[in-house]
Amino acid sequence: MKTVLFSAISLALLHLATPQPHRPRHDHIKRNAPVKVETKIDYVTVNAQDVIVYVDTQGKPVSTTTVYRNQPHPTSNPVAPSPSAQALNPLPPPQPQPQPEPEPQPQPQPQPQPQPQPQPQPQPQPAPAPAPGPDKPSTGGPVSSGPGFKSGVSYSPYNADNSCKSTQQVATDFTKITGYDVVRLYGTDCDQISNVLAATKGSNVRFFLGIFDLAQVQKEAEAVSKAVKGDWSRVNAVSVGNEMVNKGTDPGTVIGAIGQARGALKGHGYNGPIVTVDTMVAMVDHPEICKASDFCAINCHAFFDGKTRPEKSGDFIKGWVDKIEKATGKTVVVTETGWPTQGDTNGVAVPSQENHQAAMKSIQGTFANNVIFYSAYNDMWKKNAQGTFNAEQYWGIMGNAPSA
């Protein structure tokens, strides 16, 4: 009876010791962790390979222990089994429990490759400035010393109604224009260059020609070339603009026009002096326009000073010429000067025929050359104005033109 009871109890205990499946959990247990073994009467289910049940002489279980193969021994010391307990057959090995699948490790993301930074390109070095060519203003020689004439006079080919004078009228006017080395013209309209060249054919008169409109430099340069027909021997100099800076034009614009005219005229075979003409005040204030020219060309009238009497006109003009020559290092040519015969008084400057003669005598006594008088005849085509003391029409050396 005891044997049967012991067997029954043993079988029951062995059944209870059979491993039972675990419920799934969300957390993961650290693998290969040591298992804590407790000695208690409660029935427990553990992962084990061999389970031993200890009973007393009455067949009652008193303790159990788990022996792990190839594992470290438990830290607690279990109760030593009795010899009779060792006789029990070991339980069949438990079925291996499914191990949790390892979580997939995130693959390292490829690091973004640094974008190549643009390397600074070396800046091109400025090319050295070319040496001055023939289209640059001269700094020495006969050109920089001025056109080299003894006397000159200006002429305009317009009727009182602003119409152009005919070839015959121009020829008539030039029957009285004698004794001058140079005649100054201001533009290319009215075929004035061709008409004047025809009227003075066979004489030694040369011409101080003019390109008047800075916006039409190329066109007027071609007109000059066409008029002279390739014969530049009668051209003393060419001006580009008249008193443009004094009227408010930017000096840089004037300098650009000088360069444009120089290039255009050179292309047509002209290699003589090219200048701009302005007032003596504008030339002092902006010497760069003189330096861009082959010589300094100034319009200088003692009458507009208001403090200079006609007999001191020569001294007045010479003071400005010396000042500009000193400032620029270039010869100065007076391209306009004179005295009006009619108009309003300006301080001590009184327009009259007598004062006109006194001013002319003073200027001729002061300058032996490089002076152009203004003008051959009265310019009745102009408009008098208070700003010019209503004298604009009456500067003619010989009064009204014979062709009028």
Side-chain angles (χ1 to χ4, degrees):
M1 183 66 181
K2 179 183 292 186
T3 301
V4 174
L5 178 62
F6 174 77
S7 298
I9 293 173
S10 297
L11 289 174
L13 289 173
L14 288 175
H15 175 73
L16 291 173
T18 302
Q20 300 297 319
H22 291 285
R23 298 292 183 185
R25 299 181 62 184
H26 292 292
D27 56 336
H28 296 284
I29 301 173
K30 183 177 180 181
R31 301 175 67 180
N32 299 325
V35 179
K36 182 179 179 181
V37 180
E38 296 181 0
T39 304
K40 58 172 67 175
I41 299 176
D42 297 334
Y43 301 112
V44 296
T45 302
V46 297
N47 258 340
Q49 292 180 335
D50 294 304
V51 179
I52 301 175
V53 180
Y54 298 97
V55 296
D56 58 12
T57 56
Q58 299 298 321
K60 295 181 180 180
V62 293
S63 66
T64 63
T65 186
T66 302
V67 178
Y68 290 87
R69 296 177 183 175
N70 300 324
Q71 294 289 335
H73 296 290
T75 55
S76 59
N77 293 321
V79 178
S82 64
S84 58
Q86 295 179 2
L88 294 175
N89 292 328
L91 294 174
Q95 296 299 319
Q97 295 298 316
Q99 298 298 320
E101 293 295 330
E103 289 290 328
Q105 298 298 319
Q107 297 298 319
Q109 297 297 322
Q111 297 296 321
Q113 296 298 318
Q115 296 297 321
Q117 298 297 318
Q119 297 298 319
Q121 298 297 320
Q123 297 296 321
Q125 297 299 318
D135 58 339
K136 300 292 183 181
S138 302
T139 56
V143 171
S144 63
S145 62
F149 57 87
K150 289 185 177 180
S151 62
V153 69
S154 64
Y155 174 76
S156 298
Y158 310 113
N159 293 307
D161 61 359
N162 278 280
S163 62
C164 295
K165 288 187 175 182
S166 66
T167 302
Q168 185 58 48
Q169 284 179 296
V170 172
T172 299
D173 289 342
F174 269 85
T175 60
K176 290 189 175 183
I177 302 176
T178 60
Y180 297 99
D181 296 328
V182 167
V183 174
R184 180 186 178 190
L185 304 178
Y186 291 83
T188 59
D189 58 333
C190 296
D191 291 327
Q192 58 183 292
I193 299 175
S194 298
N195 289 339
V196 169
L197 285 172
T200 59
K201 186 177 181 180
S203 71
N204 294 323
V205 177
R206 303 179 73 199
F207 296 94
F208 195 116
L209 302 181
I211 293 174
F212 190 79
D213 188 355
L214 299 190
Q216 300 290 332
V217 170
Q218 186 70 34
K219 181 180 179 180
E220 290 202 39
E222 292 176 358
V224 171
S225 176
K226 182 179 179 181
V228 302
K229 300 178 180 179
D231 181 9
W232 298 99
S233 62
R234 299 189 65 188
V235 179
N236 178 267
V238 178
S239 66
V240 182
N242 184 63
E243 299 186 1
M244 299 307 297
V245 173
N246 182 65
K247 296 172 184 175
T249 301
D250 182 77
T253 300
V254 176
I255 292 172
I258 295 171
Q260 185 181 3
R262 185 173 282 118
L265 292 172
K266 178 185 175 183
H268 291 292
Y270 176 71
N271 294 305
I274 298 177
V275 300
T276 190
V277 175
D278 223 305
T279 64
M280 69 283 193
V281 175
M283 200 67 69
V284 168
D285 291 344
H286 299 281
E288 64 270 26
I289 62 176
C290 173
K291 294 178 180 179
S293 303
D294 287 310
F295 56 86
C296 299
I298 64 170
N299 294 343
C300 187
H301 298 282
F303 172 78
F304 290 117
D305 176 54
K307 300 176 182 179
T308 302
R309 296 184 182 277
E311 62 271 16
K312 295 294 183 180
S313 293
D315 293 338
F316 174 85
I317 297 168
K318 189 176 186 303
W320 282 101
V321 169
D322 291 346
K323 185 175 183 178
I324 295 170
E325 285 185 342
K326 183 178 180 180
T328 63
K330 288 190 174 184
T331 297
V332 176
V333 173
V334 179
T335 48
E336 274 189 17
T337 193
W339 197 276
T341 59
Q342 297 182 49
D344 300 331
T345 298
N346 176 29
V348 300
V350 179
S352 70
Q353 186 65 44
E354 182 181 357
N355 286 340
H356 171 84
Q357 294 296 332
M360 293 287 291
K361 182 178 179 180
S362 174
I363 296 168
Q364 289 171 332
T366 305
F367 293 91
N369 54 27
N370 292 346
V371 172
I372 297 176
F373 289 101
Y374 179 80
S375 69
Y377 301 109
N378 288 333
D379 291 318
M380 304 309 293
W381 56 276
K382 290 188 176 182
K383 300 297 181 182
N384 288 323
Q386 187 175 359
T388 54
F389 304 96
N390 292 309
E392 193 69 17
Q393 295 176 335
Y394 308 112
W395 292 73
I397 296 173
M398 293 177 284
N400 291 331
S403 64

